[in-house]
């Protein structure tokens, strides 16, 4: 009966989520607010409305929802997107998070909270909710403004901050609280996290695209969905076994899939499950809140929410100003990234379940999220006036200082672009860091991988203790490619910096060779110490590794050229995966969008519903400019962007349409495109063929199929003509029709009935037709 109760709880959650979500949509609130409130109402702490009362089942549903939610968040982030956002915005996102952390520490001192409570509160407030922010920006029409694009970029990057913070706090929980070796374990935790991310990322980039490509060729869509779901839950479990959270594994798979050309296909496949289980997650979170604790902490929640609105706005605006963003755009962006959400719930849940922080932290996170989500739309809509009012009151010396700072920053950026040394070596340093983390990940998690393999295959594979020898030999062989890459990059950097450091000196060539030798010797010593410290130290394992390593070194000396060739092939494959074309229209990727605030122009995108009245119609037929004054300037169709579509472009269901005009114009145009009258043509399965004779006196006699335009006027197609036993298949537009012809018509039943009636009409009965 346990399974039946789980289905019953899921049914309750979905019904409640649907009803409350619809209500919130009608009154203009974020559906996330409704999901949380509905969960609190029907949860176990609010009798007699407690429709779901088992905490274990609630936790199970929340975990499933968390996996799908984190996967969808990961799909919005990719290395390509990070490159497009730029290093400066990455710095701003992390810098803003650091400022919020220090602001929160000051708040903790005022409230007399201990170190653990302050740290978990900082983790909750450091990260915004990209899901809530994207919804608010879309609803307010700000997602294509400069400030909206920056806000989406910051919120997506703060998802990375959240993953890092969640890992650090999880490590803190395992240590038993702040102060118990926290400083000593910080570097180790970050190093282990980086190693795991790079190991999973490189392995995923090599495996997942190949697997998706093979499944798209030889498997049906249902099997492809099963394969991706298996990878999703599998990587979530692997992350948990490695000492991290389910959220990290699901988030990583999303970012890996986002790097492939199959991203849009996967998004469409999981769109329904994402919507369902994201709602399940938020409702389940609300169910775990005791409303009495929420009411008892009302003052604290209101105070922390006010602090969050101010601290996050100030921190983000300051960080963006530091990287050279215009003050007005920086202030508007800071006001837009104030809501907190899903990651804050996870962090609060982690601390409460481990008894590191008091139970009030859970309702505190939910209450602050509710208040910031309610206030955020007001801040976004009024952000231009708020920013202008603040800038009008700034001191003159501050305005001049900011103007001078931005000019100096632009000069500094221009000089950096002319720095040939950094241009030549920067990419090498990035590759070197990734390769070091990859090797570290393989060595750090090698003992866990060996233990899992031993449980599966047994210790005596092929011969006594054979698994140990085979596993570590295989690991050394796998390590060959990244180690070869590390040494090639080290050699290139040593040669480059040796030449630069001795340039212009007497006997520069000889000095350069000596400097290169010294740098290579130091690097080789560092690599040896690094590998020795990371080697597993259990019993015979280290000696097996050393013996195998000696054999491998000899093989490397003999097969060096071949190994370089294999490494080059592997590097090319990774570059091909990461260089896959992406033309998706997002809030940060429309390249033709420029600042247009002075013109009072806004851009809003909307998705055509499946039964939209506008589907199947050309843009010119819709007359949007004549009726509402707005124009369609872009269409995204199944992952492909059509910029500035021509008037004869036809709209299809699920098209994402980008409208441009004033606020009132795009609002009216969006409502028109999203209108659904409820009538719909037949489904694909209902399309039929029927033979229809041309009766005597029919007005179509003597006319061509091209003149009649049956597909446009009646929605049917003549696929065959039987003329006194002569069958004409797929007749051309120049084919004439005559009395007695038997037409094979293809179309929906209703359209064929209308065509049969129209076919019987005489020339006198058809308006404008008198033969």
């Amino acid at each position: 009966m346990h399974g039946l109760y789980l289905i019953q709880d899921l049914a309750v959650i979905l019904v409640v989520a649907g009803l409350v979500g619809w209500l919130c949509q009608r009154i203009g609130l974020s559906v996330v607010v409704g999901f949380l409130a509905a969960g609190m109402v029907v949860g176990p702490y609010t009798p007699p409305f407690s429709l779901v009362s088992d905490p274990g089942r609630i936790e199970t549903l929340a975990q499933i929802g968390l996996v799908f939610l984190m996967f969808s968040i990961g799909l919005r982030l990719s290395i390509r997107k990070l490159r497009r956002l730029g290093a400066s915005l990455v710095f701003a996102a992390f810098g803003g998070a650091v400022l919020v952390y220090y602001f929160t520490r000051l708040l903790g001192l005022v409230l007399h909270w201990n170190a653990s409570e302050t740290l978990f509160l900082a983790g909750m407030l450091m990260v915004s909710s990209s899901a809530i922010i994207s919804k608010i920006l879309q609803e307010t029409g700000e997602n294509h403004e400069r400030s909206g694009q920056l806000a989406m970029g910051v919120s997506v990057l703060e998802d990375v901050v959240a993953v890092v913070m969640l890992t650090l706090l999880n490590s803190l929980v395992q240590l038993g609280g702040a102060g118990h070796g926290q400083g000593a374990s910080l570097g180790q935790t970050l190093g282990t996290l980086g190693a795991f991310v790079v190991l999973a990322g490189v392995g995923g980039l090599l495996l997942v695209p190949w697997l998706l490509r093979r499944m798209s060729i030889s498997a049906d869509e249902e099997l492809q969905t099963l394969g991706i779901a298996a990878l999703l839950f599998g990587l979530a479990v692997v992350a948990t076994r490695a000492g991290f959270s389910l959220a990290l594994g699901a988030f990583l798979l999303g970012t890996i899939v986002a790097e492939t050309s199959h991203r849009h296909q996967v998004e469409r496949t999981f769109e329904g499950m994402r919507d369902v289980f994201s709602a399940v997650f938020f409702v389940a979170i609300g169910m775990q809140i005791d409303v009495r604790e929420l009411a008892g902490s009302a003052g604290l929640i209101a105070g922390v929410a006010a602090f969050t609105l101010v601290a996050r706005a100030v921190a983000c605006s300051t960080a963006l100003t530091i990287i050279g963003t215009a003050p007005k755009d920086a202030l508007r962006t800071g006001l837009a990234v104030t809501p907190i959400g899903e990651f804050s719930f996870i962090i609060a849940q982690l601390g409460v379940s481990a008894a590191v922080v008091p139970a009030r932290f859970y309702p505190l996170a939910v209450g602050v999220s509710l208040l910031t989500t309610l206030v955020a739309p007001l801040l976004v809509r009024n952000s231009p006036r708020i920013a202008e009012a603040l800038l009008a009151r700034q001191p003159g010396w501050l305005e001049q200082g900011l103007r001078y700072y931005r000019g100096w920053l632009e000069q500094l950026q221009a000089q950096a672009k002319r720095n040939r040394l950094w241009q030549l070596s920067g990419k090498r340093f990035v590759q070197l860091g990734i390769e070091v983390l990859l090797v570290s990940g393989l060595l750090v998690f090698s003992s866990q991988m060996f233990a899992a393999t031993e449980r599966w295959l047994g210790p005596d594979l092929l011969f006594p203790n054979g698994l140990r020898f085979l596993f570590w030999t295989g690991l050394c062989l796998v390590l060959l490619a990244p180690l070869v890459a590390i040494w090639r990059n080290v050699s290139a950097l040593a040669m480059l910096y040796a030449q630069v450091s001795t340039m212009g000196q007497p006997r520069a060539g000889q000095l350069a060779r000596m400097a290169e030798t010294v740098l290579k010797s130091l690097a080789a010593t560092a690599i040896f110490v690094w590998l020795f410290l990371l080697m597993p130290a259990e019993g015979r394992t280290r000696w097996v590794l050393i013996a195998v390593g000696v054999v491998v070194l000899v093989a490397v000396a003999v097969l060096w050229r071949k190994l370089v060739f294999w490494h080059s092939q592997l590097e090319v494959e990774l570059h091909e995966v990461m260089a896959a074309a992406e033309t998706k229209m997002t809030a940060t990727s429309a390249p033709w969008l420029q600042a247009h605030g002075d013109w009072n122009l806004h851009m809003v995108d909307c998705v055509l519903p499946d039964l939209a009245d506008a589907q199947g119609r050309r843009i010119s037929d819709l007359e949007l400019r004549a009726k509402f004054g707005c124009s369609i300037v872009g269409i995204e169709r199944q992952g492909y962007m059509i910029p500035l579509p021509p008037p004869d472009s036809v709209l299809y269901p699920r098209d994402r349409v980008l409208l441009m005009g004033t606020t009132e114009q795009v609002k009216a145009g969006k409502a028109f495109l999203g209108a659904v009258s409820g009538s719909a043509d037949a489904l694909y399965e209902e399309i039929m063929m029927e033979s229809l004779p041309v009766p005597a006196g029919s007005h179509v006699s003597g006319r061509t199929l091209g003149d009649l335009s049956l597909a446009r006027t009646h929605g049917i197609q003549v696929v065959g003509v039987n003329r006194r036993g002569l069958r004409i298949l797929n007749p051309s537009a120049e084919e004439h029709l005559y009395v007695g012809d038997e037409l094979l018509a293809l179309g929906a039943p209703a359209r064929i009935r209308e065509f049969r009636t129209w076919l019987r009409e005489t020339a006198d009965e058809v308006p404008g037709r008198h033969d």
Side-chain angles (χ1 to χ4, degrees):
M1 294 296 290
H2 178 75
L4 178 61
Y5 290 138
L6 180 65
I7 294 174
Q8 173 183 305
D9 293 346
L10 183 60
V12 169
I13 288 176
L14 294 179
V15 169
V16 170
L19 292 175
V20 177
W22 176 81
L23 180 61
C24 289
Q25 199 174 49
R26 296 289 294 177
I27 61 179
L29 291 178
S30 171
V31 293
V32 174
V33 175
F35 293 158
L36 293 170
M40 286 186 283
V41 172
V42 301
Y45 300 106
T46 52
F49 304 105
S50 303
L51 302 179
V52 181
S53 58
D54 190 329
R57 293 198 297 270
I58 296 174
E59 178 67 21
T60 300
L61 293 171
Q63 293 293 335
I64 296 174
L66 173 64
V67 169
F68 282 99
L69 180 63
M70 291 299 106
F71 178 62
S72 65
I73 290 175
L75 280 173
R76 294 199 295 265
L77 181 67
S78 66
I79 297 177
R80 282 194 303 273
K81 176 171 280 189
L82 289 177
R83 287 202 299 261
R84 186 169 64 237
L85 293 174
S88 58
L89 193 60
V90 174
F91 171 81
F94 280 82
V98 171
L99 287 175
V100 173
Y101 169 76
Y102 282 106
F103 289 159
T104 309
R105 290 196 64 174
L106 293 176
L107 178 64
L109 291 175
V110 173
L111 298 176
H112 303 290
W113 285 3
N114 61 40
S116 294
E117 293 174 344
T118 303
L119 186 59
F120 270 85
L121 180 63
M124 290 158 49
L125 304 186
M126 282 168 62
V127 292
S128 59
S129 171
S130 58
I132 295 175
I133 289 174
S134 63
K135 188 72 174 175
I136 291 174
L137 291 175
Q138 186 173 1
E139 291 173 350
T140 56
E142 298 289 328
N143 55 332
H144 292 289
E145 299 292 329
R146 171 64 175 165
S147 58
Q149 295 176 4
L150 288 172
M152 276 307 305
V154 170
S155 66
V156 168
L157 290 170
E158 284 186 339
D159 290 337
V160 181
V161 176
V163 170
V164 175
M165 197 65 190
L166 187 61
T167 303
L168 293 175
L169 293 175
N170 190 46
S171 176
L172 174 66
V173 165
Q174 294 174 1
L175 291 171
H180 294 74
Q182 178 185 353
S185 67
L186 178 61
Q188 180 182 354
T189 301
L190 287 175
T192 305
L193 172 64
F196 178 79
V197 168
V198 171
L199 178 60
V202 173
L205 287 173
L206 293 174
L207 173 64
V208 172
W210 174 83
L211 186 60
L212 291 176
R213 186 166 56 250
R214 296 299 302 173
M215 288 194 301
S216 64
I217 294 173
S218 59
D220 295 334
E221 284 193 12
E222 57 182 338
L223 296 180
Q224 296 176 38
T225 304
L226 290 175
I228 296 296
L231 287 174
L232 173 59
F233 286 99
L235 189 54
V237 171
V238 168
T240 306
R241 299 294 187 191
F244 304 108
S245 65
L246 288 171
L248 176 62
F251 179 81
L252 278 178
L253 184 65
T255 58
I256 291 169
V257 173
E259 287 293 336
T260 70
S261 58
H262 299 269
R263 169 187 174 180
H264 306 294
Q265 174 189 350
V266 173
E267 280 183 322
R268 290 194 303 272
T269 301
F270 279 83
E271 185 177 13
M273 285 190 288
R274 177 202 66 198
D275 295 340
V276 169
F277 284 102
S278 296
V280 167
F281 171 75
F282 287 112
V283 175
I285 289 295
M287 287 181 176
Q288 299 177 60
I289 302 300
D290 190 338
V291 180
R292 290 167 296 184
E293 290 186 3
L294 197 66
S297 305
L300 177 64
I301 291 172
V304 173
F307 169 82
T308 303
L309 293 171
V310 175
R312 285 198 54 80
V314 171
C316 182
S317 301
T318 302
L320 288 171
T321 303
I322 290 175
I323 66 170
T325 306
K328 183 176 180 179
D329 289 334
L331 287 171
R332 293 186 62 187
T333 304
L335 294 171
V337 296
T338 49
I340 65 172
E342 56 275 2
F343 277 110
S344 302
F345 305 152
I346 300 169
I347 290 172
Q349 188 180 42
L350 173 65
V352 172
S353 60
V356 178
V357 296
R360 69 172 183 270
F361 266 61
Y362 205 45
L364 174 64
V366 174
V368 172
S369 176
L370 286 171
L371 291 179
T372 54
T373 303
L374 287 172
V375 174
L378 298 176
L379 293 178
V380 171
R381 290 191 182 96
N382 295 284
S383 61
R385 288 192 291 271
I386 296 174
E388 289 171 0
L390 291 174
L391 292 175
R393 289 170 174 78
Q394 68 175 331
W397 60 266
L398 179 59
E399 183 179 2
Q400 294 178 358
L402 289 175
R403 189 180 298 113
Y404 172 80
Y405 173 76
R406 291 184 64 194
W408 172 78
L409 199 61
E410 290 174 358
Q411 294 178 358
L412 199 64
Q413 291 171 348
Q415 292 176 2
K417 290 180 179 179
R418 294 193 296 266
N419 189 335
R420 294 291 300 168
L421 179 61
W422 174 249
Q423 290 178 3
L424 292 173
S425 61
K427 187 177 180 181
R428 293 278 185 182
F429 278 117
V430 173
Q431 291 178 350
L432 189 60
I434 293 174
E435 290 153 0
V436 167
L437 287 174
L438 175 60
V439 174
S440 300
L442 287 169
L443 290 174
V444 167
F445 297 104
S446 59
S447 297
Q448 293 169 272
M449 291 188 288
F450 175 74
T453 308
E454 189 176 35
R455 287 193 300 269
W456 179 33
L457 299 176
D460 302 323
L461 183 66
L462 300 181
F463 51 88
N465 290 320
L467 180 65
R468 183 181 300 274
F469 175 78
L470 294 173
F471 178 84
W472 297 112
T473 301
L475 180 65
C476 288
L477 293 175
V478 170
L479 288 172
L480 270 182
L483 286 175
V484 168
I486 288 173
W487 185 249
R488 289 184 67 192
N489 281 320
V490 166
S491 300
L493 290 171
M495 181 182 66
L496 178 63
Y497 279 87
Q499 291 177 351
V500 171
S501 62
T502 58
M503 190 177 299
Q505 298 184 12
R507 295 185 297 175
Q510 185 178 355
L511 289 175
R513 287 191 294 272
M514 292 176 59
E516 182 180 351
T517 302
V518 172
L519 290 174
K520 285 184 177 180
S521 300
L522 293 174
T525 304
I527 291 173
F528 174 79
V529 173
W530 162 59
L531 293 176
F532 186 80
L533 292 175
L534 287 181
M535 279 185 188
E538 302 90 354
R540 293 168 293 177
T541 299
R542 173 164 289 185
W543 294 109
V544 171
L545 272 175
I546 292 175
V548 173
V550 172
V551 175
V552 168
L553 285 176
V554 175
V556 168
V558 177
L559 302 173
W560 176 255
R561 292 183 180 275
K562 197 69 175 176
L563 289 172
V564 169
F565 174 73
W566 289 339
H567 165 256
S568 300
Q569 279 190 320
L570 181 65
E571 195 172 19
V572 167
E573 288 184 13
L574 285 174
H575 278 295
E576 286 178 352
V577 170
M578 297 178 62
E582 181 179 20
T583 54
K584 182 178 176 65
M585 177 178 65
T586 66
T588 57
S589 66
W592 67 89
L593 296 180
Q594 301 294 332
H596 45 268
D598 296 339
W599 295 83
N600 192 29
L601 288 177
H602 299 275
M603 297 194 185
V604 173
D605 55 80
C606 63
V607 178
L608 260 67
D610 289 323
L611 301 179
D613 296 338
Q615 64 166 318
R617 300 176 63 183
R618 292 179 298 183
I619 294 177
S620 57
D621 295 337
L622 297 175
E623 299 179 339
L624 289 173
R625 187 174 298 178
K627 292 179 179 178
F628 310 109
C630 59
S631 302
I632 294 179
V633 295
I635 300 173
E636 181 205 328
R637 181 170 298 152
Q638 298 186 1
Y640 290 95
M641 181 63 198
I642 307 173
L644 303 175
D648 59 350
S649 297
V650 179
L651 300 182
Y652 295 96
R654 312 308 298 168
D655 278 355
R656 183 180 293 274
V657 178
L658 183 62
L659 294 171
M660 183 178 71
T662 65
T663 303
E664 295 76 15
Q665 290 171 349
V666 294
K667 184 177 181 181
K670 182 177 179 179
F672 175 76
L673 291 177
V676 176
S677 63
S679 60
D681 287 338
L683 299 175
Y684 175 81
E685 293 83 359
E686 297 177 350
I687 299 298
M688 58 177 290
M689 289 191 294
E690 184 174 339
S691 296
L692 302 173
V694 179
S698 175
H699 66 95
V700 304
S701 179
R703 301 179 65 185
T704 65
L705 289 173
D707 293 337
L708 296 174
S709 300
L710 298 178
R712 182 174 60 84
T713 58
H714 290 82
I716 65 103
Q717 182 177 356
V718 174
V719 296
V721 177
N722 184 357
R723 183 171 296 147
R724 298 182 179 87
L726 175 64
R727 287 181 170 83
I728 306 171
L729 294 177
N730 296 319
S732 65
E734 290 77 22
E735 186 67 41
H736 288 76
L737 300 183
Y738 300 100
V739 173
D741 284 352
E742 190 176 86
L743 309 181
L744 185 61
L746 174 71
R751 296 297 181 94
I752 290 180
R753 286 195 298 269
E754 294 174 0
F755 176 64
R756 183 193 299 117
T757 303
W758 179 79
L759 198 62
R760 293 170 180 167
E761 294 178 353
T762 64
D764 295 334
E765 296 172 333
V766 177
R769 176 72 179 170
H770 300 285
D771 293 337

